Coordinates of all heavy atoms in Angstrom, one line a residue:
N561 N -11.5 -7.4 25.3 CA -11.2 -6.3 24.6 C -9.7 -5.9 24.6 O -9.1 -6.0 25.7 CB -12.0 -5.1 25.1 CG -13.5 -5.1 24.7 OD1 -13.8 -5.7 23.7 ND2 -14.3 -4.2 25.4
H562 N -9.2 -5.4 23.5 CA -7.9 -4.9 23.5 C -7.8 -3.5 24.2 O -8.7 -2.8 24.2 CB -7.5 -4.7 22.0 CG -6.0 -4.4 21.8 ND1 -5.5 -3.2 22.0 CD2 -5.0 -5.2 21.4 CE1 -4.2 -3.3 21.7 NE2 -3.9 -4.5 21.4
P563 N -6.7 -3.3 24.9 CA -6.6 -2.0 25.7 C -6.8 -0.7 24.8 O -7.4 0.2 25.4 CB -5.1 -2.1 26.2 CG -4.8 -3.5 26.3 CD -5.6 -4.2 25.1
I564 N -6.5 -0.8 23.6 CA -6.7 0.4 22.8 C -8.2 0.7 22.6 O -8.6 1.9 22.6 CB -6.0 0.4 21.4 CG1 -6.0 1.7 20.7 CG2 -6.6 -0.7 20.5 CD1 -5.1 2.8 21.3
Y565 N -9.0 -0.3 22.6 CA -10.5 -0.1 22.5 C -11.0 0.5 23.7 O -11.9 1.4 23.6 CB -11.2 -1.4 22.1 CG -10.8 -1.9 20.8 CD1 -10.1 -3.1 20.6 CD2 -11.1 -1.2 19.6 CE1 -9.8 -3.6 19.4 CE2 -10.7 -1.7 18.4 CZ -10.0 -2.9 18.3 OH -9.7 -3.3 17.1
N566 N -10.5 0.1 24.9 CA -11.0 0.7 26.1 C -10.5 2.2 26.2 O -11.3 3.0 26.6 CB -10.3 -0.1 27.3 CG -10.9 -1.5 27.4 OD1 -12.0 -1.8 26.9 ND2 -10.1 -2.3 28.0
F567 N -9.3 2.4 25.7 CA -8.8 3.8 25.7 C -9.7 4.7 24.7 O -10.1 5.8 25.1 CB -7.3 3.8 25.2 CG -6.8 5.2 25.1 CD1 -6.5 6.0 26.2 CD2 -6.5 5.7 23.8 CE1 -6.0 7.2 26.1 CE2 -6.0 7.0 23.7 CZ -5.7 7.7 24.8
L568 N -10.0 4.2 23.6 CA -10.8 4.9 22.6 C -12.2 5.2 23.1 O -12.8 6.2 23.0 CB -10.8 4.2 21.2 CG -9.6 4.2 20.5 CD1 -9.6 3.4 19.2 CD2 -9.1 5.6 20.1
Q569 N -12.7 4.2 23.9 CA -14.1 4.3 24.5 C -14.0 5.5 25.5 O -15.0 6.3 25.6 CB -14.4 3.1 25.1 CG -15.8 3.1 25.8 CD -16.9 3.3 24.9 OE1 -16.9 2.8 23.7 NE2 -18.0 4.0 25.2
S570 N -12.9 5.6 26.3 CA -12.8 6.7 27.2 C -12.7 8.0 26.6 O -13.1 9.0 27.1 CB -11.6 6.4 28.2 OG -10.4 6.6 27.5
L571 N -12.1 8.0 25.4 CA -12.0 9.3 24.6 C -13.4 9.8 24.3 O -13.7 11.0 24.3 CB -11.2 9.2 23.4 CG -9.7 9.0 23.5 CD1 -9.1 8.8 22.1 CD2 -9.1 10.2 24.2
Q572 N -14.3 9.0 24.0 CA -15.7 9.4 23.6 C -16.4 10.0 24.8 O -17.4 10.7 24.6 CB -16.4 8.2 23.1 CG -15.9 7.6 21.8 CD -16.6 6.4 21.3 OE1 -17.3 5.7 22.1 NE2 -16.5 6.1 20.0
E573 N -15.9 9.9 26.0 CA -16.5 10.4 27.2 C -15.9 11.7 27.6 O -16.3 12.3 28.6 CB -16.5 9.4 28.3 CG -17.2 8.1 28.0 CD -16.9 7.0 29.0 OE1 -16.2 7.2 29.9 OE2 -17.5 5.9 28.8
T574 N -15.0 12.2 26.8 CA -14.3 13.5 27.1 C -14.5 14.4 26.0 O -15.1 14.1 24.9 CB -12.8 13.2 27.3 OG1 -12.2 12.8 26.1 CG2 -12.5 12.2 28.4
E575 N -13.9 15.6 26.1 CA -14.0 16.6 25.0 C -12.7 16.6 24.2 O -12.0 17.6 24.2 CB -14.3 17.9 25.6 CG -15.7 18.0 26.1 CD -16.1 19.4 26.6 OE1 -15.6 20.4 26.0 OE2 -16.9 19.5 27.5
V576 N -12.4 15.5 23.5 CA -11.2 15.4 22.8 C -11.3 16.1 21.5 O -12.3 15.9 20.8 CB -10.8 13.9 22.6 CG1 -9.6 13.8 21.6 CG2 -10.4 13.2 23.9
Y577 N -10.5 17.0 21.1 CA -10.6 17.7 19.8 C -9.7 17.0 18.7 O -10.1 17.0 17.6 CB -10.1 19.2 20.0 CG -11.1 19.9 20.9 CD1 -10.7 20.2 22.2 CD2 -12.3 20.3 20.5 CE1 -11.5 20.9 23.1 CE2 -13.2 20.9 21.4 CZ -12.8 21.2 22.6 OH -13.7 21.8 23.5
I578 N -8.5 16.6 19.1 CA -7.6 15.9 18.2 C -7.0 14.7 18.9 O -6.4 14.9 20.0 CB -6.6 16.8 17.6 CG1 -7.3 18.0 16.7 CG2 -5.6 16.1 16.8 CD1 -6.3 18.9 16.1
F579 N -7.0 13.6 18.2 CA -6.3 12.4 18.7 C -5.7 11.7 17.5 O -6.4 11.4 16.5 CB -7.2 11.4 19.5 CG -6.5 10.2 19.8 CD1 -5.7 10.1 20.9 CD2 -6.7 9.1 19.0 CE1 -5.1 9.0 21.2 CE2 -6.0 7.9 19.4 CZ -5.2 7.8 20.5
I580 N -4.4 11.5 17.5 CA -3.8 10.8 16.4 C -2.9 9.7 17.0 O -2.5 9.8 18.2 CB -3.0 11.7 15.5 CG1 -1.8 12.4 16.3 CG2 -3.8 12.7 14.7 CD1 -0.8 13.1 15.3
S581 N -2.6 8.7 16.2 CA -1.8 7.6 16.6 C -0.9 7.2 15.5 O -1.4 7.0 14.4 CB -2.7 6.4 17.1 OG -1.9 5.3 17.5
I582 N 0.4 7.2 15.7 CA 1.3 6.8 14.6 C 1.9 5.5 15.0 O 2.4 5.2 16.0 CB 2.5 7.9 14.5 CG1 1.9 9.3 14.3 CG2 3.4 7.5 13.4 CD1 1.2 9.5 13.0
H583 N 1.9 4.6 13.9 CA 2.4 3.2 14.1 C 3.5 2.9 13.2 O 3.5 3.2 12.0 CB 1.2 2.2 13.9 CG 0.1 2.3 14.8 ND1 -0.2 1.4 15.8 CD2 -0.8 3.3 15.0 CE1 -1.3 1.8 16.5 NE2 -1.6 3.0 16.0
A584 N 4.5 2.3 13.8 CA 5.6 1.7 13.0 C 5.3 0.3 12.8 O 5.6 -0.6 13.6 CB 7.0 1.9 13.7
D585 N 4.8 -0.1 11.6 CA 4.3 -1.4 11.3 C 5.4 -2.3 10.9 O 6.4 -1.9 10.2 CB 3.2 -1.4 10.1 CG 2.1 -0.4 10.5 OD1 1.7 -0.4 11.6 OD2 1.6 0.2 9.5
S586 N 5.4 -3.5 11.3 CA 6.4 -4.5 11.1 C 5.7 -5.9 11.0 O 4.8 -6.2 11.8 CB 7.5 -4.5 12.2 OG 8.4 -5.5 12.0
F587 N 6.1 -6.7 10.1 CA 5.6 -8.0 9.9 C 6.6 -8.8 9.1 O 7.5 -8.2 8.5 CB 4.2 -7.9 9.2 CG 3.4 -9.2 9.3 CD1 3.0 -9.7 10.5 CD2 3.1 -10.0 8.2 CE1 2.2 -10.8 10.6 CE2 2.4 -11.1 8.2 CZ 1.9 -11.5 9.5
T588 N 6.4 -10.1 9.0 CA 7.3 -11.0 8.3 C 7.2 -10.7 6.8 O 8.1 -10.9 6.0 CB 7.1 -12.4 8.6 OG1 5.8 -12.7 8.4 CG2 7.5 -12.8 10.0
N589 N 6.0 -10.2 6.4 CA 5.8 -9.9 5.0 C 6.2 -8.4 4.7 O 5.7 -7.5 5.3 CB 4.3 -10.0 4.7 CG 3.9 -9.7 3.2 OD1 4.8 -9.1 2.5 ND2 2.8 -9.9 2.8
P590 N 7.3 -8.2 3.9 CA 7.8 -6.9 3.7 C 6.7 -5.8 3.2 O 6.8 -4.6 3.4 CB 8.9 -7.0 2.7 CG 9.3 -8.5 2.7 CD 8.0 -9.2 3.2
A591 N 5.7 -6.3 2.6 CA 4.6 -5.4 2.1 C 3.8 -4.8 3.3 O 3.1 -3.8 3.1 CB 3.7 -6.1 1.2
S592 N 3.9 -5.4 4.4 CA 3.2 -4.9 5.6 C 4.1 -4.0 6.5 O 3.8 -3.9 7.7 CB 2.7 -6.1 6.5 OG 1.8 -6.8 5.7
R593 N 5.2 -3.5 6.0 CA 6.1 -2.7 6.8 C 5.9 -1.2 6.5 O 5.5 -0.9 5.3 CB 7.5 -3.1 6.5 CG 7.9 -4.4 7.1 CD 9.3 -4.8 6.8 NE 10.2 -3.6 6.7 CZ 11.2 -3.6 5.9 NH1 11.6 -4.6 5.2 NH2 12.0 -2.5 5.9
G594 N 6.1 -0.3 7.4 CA 6.0 1.1 7.1 C 5.4 1.9 8.2 O 5.3 1.4 9.3
T595 N 5.0 3.1 7.9 CA 4.4 3.9 8.9 C 3.0 4.3 8.6 O 2.7 4.7 7.5 CB 5.3 5.3 9.1 OG1 6.6 4.9 9.4 CG2 4.7 6.2 10.1
T596 N 2.1 4.0 9.5 CA 0.7 4.3 9.4 C 0.2 5.4 10.4 O 0.6 5.3 11.5 CB -0.2 3.0 9.5 OG1 0.4 2.0 8.7 CG2 -1.6 3.3 9.2
G597 N -0.6 6.3 9.9 CA -1.2 7.3 10.9 C -2.7 6.9 11.0 O -3.3 6.5 10.1
Y598 N -3.2 7.2 12.2 CA -4.6 7.0 12.5 C -5.2 8.2 13.2 O -4.4 8.9 13.9 CB -4.8 5.7 13.4 CG -4.4 4.4 12.8 CD1 -3.2 3.9 13.0 CD2 -5.4 3.7 12.1 CE1 -2.8 2.7 12.4 CE2 -5.1 2.5 11.5 CZ -3.8 2.0 11.7 OH -3.4 0.8 11.1
Y599 N -6.4 8.5 12.9 CA -7.0 9.7 13.6 C -8.4 9.3 14.1 O -9.0 8.3 13.7 CB -7.1 10.8 12.6 CG -8.1 10.5 11.4 CD1 -9.4 11.0 11.5 CD2 -7.6 9.9 10.3 CE1 -10.2 10.8 10.4 CE2 -8.5 9.6 9.2 CZ -9.7 10.1 9.3 OH -10.6 9.9 8.3
F600 N -8.8 10.0 15.1 CA -10.1 9.8 15.8 C -11.2 10.4 15.1 O -11.2 11.6 14.8 CB -9.9 10.3 17.3 CG -11.1 10.0 18.2 CD1 -11.6 8.7 18.3 CD2 -11.6 11.0 18.9 CE1 -12.7 8.5 19.2 CE2 -12.7 10.8 19.7 CZ -13.2 9.5 19.9
S601 N -12.2 9.6 14.7 CA -13.3 10.1 13.9 C -14.1 11.2 14.5 O -14.7 12.0 13.8 CB -14.2 9.0 13.4 OG -14.8 8.4 14.5
E602 N -14.2 11.2 15.8 CA -15.2 12.2 16.4 C -14.5 13.4 17.0 O -15.1 14.2 17.6 CB -15.9 11.5 17.6 CG -16.8 10.3 17.1 CD -17.6 9.6 18.2 OE1 -17.8 10.2 19.2 OE2 -17.9 8.4 17.9
G603 N -13.2 13.6 16.6 CA -12.5 14.8 17.0 C -12.7 15.9 16.0 O -13.6 15.9 15.2
S604 N -11.8 16.8 15.9 CA -11.8 17.9 15.0 C -11.7 17.4 13.6 O -11.1 16.4 13.3 CB -10.6 18.8 15.2 OG -10.4 19.7 14.2
S605 N -12.3 18.1 12.6 CA -12.2 17.7 11.2 C -10.8 17.9 10.7 O -10.4 17.4 9.7 CB -13.1 18.6 10.4 OG -12.8 20.0 10.5
D606 N -9.9 18.5 11.5 CA -8.5 18.7 11.1 C -7.6 17.5 11.6 O -6.4 17.5 11.3 CB -7.9 20.0 11.7 CG -8.5 21.2 11.1 OD1 -8.9 21.2 9.9 OD2 -8.7 22.2 11.8
S607 N -8.2 16.6 12.2 CA -7.4 15.5 12.8 C -6.8 14.7 11.7 O -5.6 14.3 11.8 CB -8.4 14.5 13.6 OG -8.8 15.1 14.7
K608 N -7.5 14.4 10.6 CA -6.8 13.6 9.5 C -5.7 14.4 8.9 O -4.6 13.8 8.6 CB -7.9 13.2 8.4 CG -7.3 12.4 7.3 CD -8.3 12.0 6.3 CE -7.7 11.0 5.2 NZ -6.6 11.4 4.5
R609 N -5.9 15.7 8.6 CA -4.9 16.5 8.0 C -3.6 16.6 8.9 O -2.5 16.4 8.4 CB -5.4 17.9 7.8 CG -4.5 18.7 6.9 CD -5.1 20.0 6.4 NE -6.1 20.5 7.2 CZ -6.3 21.7 7.4 NH1 -5.5 22.7 6.9 NH2 -7.4 22.2 8.2
L610 N -3.8 16.7 10.2 CA -2.7 16.7 11.1 C -2.0 15.3 11.1 O -0.8 15.3 11.1 CB -3.1 17.1 12.5 CG -2.0 17.1 13.6 CD1 -1.0 18.1 13.3 CD2 -2.7 17.4 15.0
A611 N -2.8 14.3 11.2 CA -2.1 13.0 11.2 C -1.3 12.7 9.9 O -0.3 12.2 9.9 CB -3.2 11.9 11.4
D612 N -1.9 13.2 8.8 CA -1.2 13.1 7.5 C 0.1 13.8 7.5 O 1.2 13.4 7.1 CB -2.0 13.7 6.3 CG -3.0 12.7 5.8 OD1 -2.8 11.5 5.9 OD2 -4.0 13.2 5.1
C613 N 0.2 15.0 8.0 CA 1.4 15.9 8.1 C 2.4 15.3 9.0 O 3.6 15.2 8.6 CB 1.0 17.3 8.6 SG 0.1 18.3 7.5
I614 N 2.0 14.8 10.1 CA 3.0 14.1 11.1 C 3.5 12.9 10.4 O 4.7 12.6 10.5 CB 2.3 13.9 12.5 CG1 2.0 15.2 13.1 CG2 3.2 13.0 13.3 CD1 1.3 15.2 14.4
R615 N 2.7 12.0 9.9 CA 3.1 10.7 9.3 C 4.1 11.0 8.1 O 5.1 10.4 8.1 CB 1.9 9.9 8.8 CG 2.4 8.6 8.2 CD 1.2 8.0 7.3 NE 0.5 9.0 6.5 CZ 0.9 9.6 5.4 NH1 2.1 9.4 4.9 NH2 0.1 10.5 4.8
S616 N 3.7 12.0 7.3 CA 4.6 12.3 6.1 C 6.0 12.8 6.6 O 7.0 12.4 6.0 CB 3.9 13.4 5.3 OG 2.8 12.9 4.7
A617 N 6.0 13.7 7.6 CA 7.2 14.1 8.2 C 8.1 13.1 8.8 O 9.3 12.9 8.5 CB 7.1 15.2 9.2
L618 N 7.5 12.2 9.5 CA 8.1 11.0 10.1 C 8.8 10.1 9.0 O 9.9 9.6 9.1 CB 7.3 10.2 11.0 CG 7.1 10.8 12.4 CD1 6.0 10.0 13.1 CD2 8.4 10.8 13.2
C619 N 7.9 9.8 8.0 CA 8.4 8.9 6.9 C 9.6 9.5 6.2 O 10.5 8.8 5.9 CB 7.3 8.7 5.9 SG 6.0 7.6 6.5
A620 N 9.6 10.8 6.0 CA 10.7 11.5 5.3 C 11.9 11.5 6.2 O 13.0 11.2 5.7 CB 10.3 12.9 5.0
E621 N 11.7 11.7 7.5 CA 12.9 11.8 8.4 C 13.5 10.4 8.7 O 14.7 10.2 8.7 CB 12.4 12.4 9.7 CG 13.5 12.6 10.8 CD 14.6 13.6 10.3 OE1 14.2 14.6 9.6 OE2 15.7 13.5 10.8
L622 N 12.6 9.4 8.8 CA 13.1 8.0 9.2 C 13.3 7.2 8.0 O 13.7 6.0 8.1 CB 12.0 7.4 10.1 CG 11.8 8.1 11.4 CD1 10.6 7.4 12.2 CD2 13.0 8.1 12.3
Q623 N 12.9 7.7 6.8 CA 13.0 7.0 5.6 C 12.3 5.6 5.6 O 12.8 4.6 5.2 CB 14.5 6.8 5.1 CG 15.1 8.2 4.9 CD 16.6 8.0 4.4 OE1 17.1 6.9 4.4 NE2 17.1 9.1 4.1
T624 N 11.0 5.7 6.1 CA 10.2 4.4 6.1 C 9.1 4.6 5.1 O 8.7 5.7 4.7 CB 9.5 4.3 7.6 OG1 8.8 5.4 7.8 CG2 10.6 4.1 8.6
P625 N 8.6 3.4 4.6 CA 7.5 3.5 3.6 C 6.3 4.0 4.3 O 6.0 3.7 5.5 CB 7.3 2.0 3.2 CG 8.5 1.3 3.7 CD 9.1 2.1 4.8
S626 N 5.5 4.8 3.5 CA 4.2 5.3 4.0 C 3.1 4.3 3.8 O 2.9 3.9 2.7 CB 3.9 6.7 3.4 OG 2.6 7.0 3.8
R627 N 2.3 4.0 4.8 CA 1.2 3.2 4.6 C -0.1 4.0 4.7 O -1.2 3.5 4.8 CB 1.1 2.1 5.6 CG 2.5 1.2 5.4 CD 2.4 -0.1 6.1 NE 1.4 -1.0 5.5 CZ 0.6 -1.8 6.2 NH1 0.8 -2.0 7.5 NH2 -0.3 -2.5 5.6
G628 N 0.0 5.3 4.7 CA -1.2 6.2 4.6 C -1.7 6.5 6.0 O -1.2 6.2 7.0
T629 N -2.9 7.2 6.0 CA -3.6 7.6 7.2 C -4.9 7.1 7.1 O -5.6 7.1 6.1 CB -3.6 9.1 7.3 OG1 -2.2 9.7 7.3 CG2 -4.3 9.6 8.5
Q630 N -5.4 6.5 8.2 CA -6.7 5.8 8.3 C -7.5 6.3 9.5 O -7.0 6.7 10.5 CB -6.4 4.3 8.3 CG -5.6 3.7 7.2 CD -5.3 2.3 7.4 OE1 -6.1 1.6 8.1 NE2 -4.3 1.8 6.8
L631 N -8.7 6.1 9.3 CA -9.7 6.3 10.4 C -9.4 5.2 11.5 O -9.4 4.0 11.2 CB -11.1 6.2 9.9 CG -12.2 6.4 10.9 CD1 -12.1 7.8 11.5 CD2 -13.5 6.2 10.2
G632 N -9.2 5.6 12.7 CA -8.9 4.6 13.8 C -9.9 4.6 14.9 O -10.8 5.3 14.9

């Protein structure tokens, strides 16, 4: 298992309300570059909205392409 999966599993055992993860994606293919936001599905219904806001602000500040916000 990848360490992130173990971490996410431990979140399910706690009372997490909001969890977001922002990634600076990079790959040899330029289409795979940019900033992606992820949110935890079992947290608050506001998790996606918060992840969107943070990702958008980072993209604007860092001038990176946005790759959207996804369920993580």
Side-chain angles (χ1 to χ4, degrees):
N561 279 345
H562 191 278
I564 192 68
Y565 295 116
N566 295 334
F567 176 71
L568 292 174
Q569 180 66 33
S570 70
L571 288 179
Q572 293 176 340
E573 298 169 2
T574 64
E575 292 186 27
V576 172
Y577 296 104
I578 293 178
F579 174 80
I580 60 169
S581 180
I582 305 295
H583 296 249
D585 303 322
S586 176
F587 195 67
T588 55
N589 178 351
S592 298
R593 292 180 26 212
T595 303
T596 307
Y598 294 90
Y599 64 98
F600 184 52
S601 64
E602 296 180 25
S604 167
S605 60
D606 293 328
S607 294
K608 183 179 188 306
R609 189 165 31 138
L610 178 60
D612 276 336
C613 289
I614 292 172
R615 180 199 36 78
S616 294
L618 282 172
C619 288
E621 184 68 27
L622 301 174
Q623 298 182 354
T624 58
S626 173
R627 299 195 66 214
T629 301
Q630 303 174 24
L631 180 62

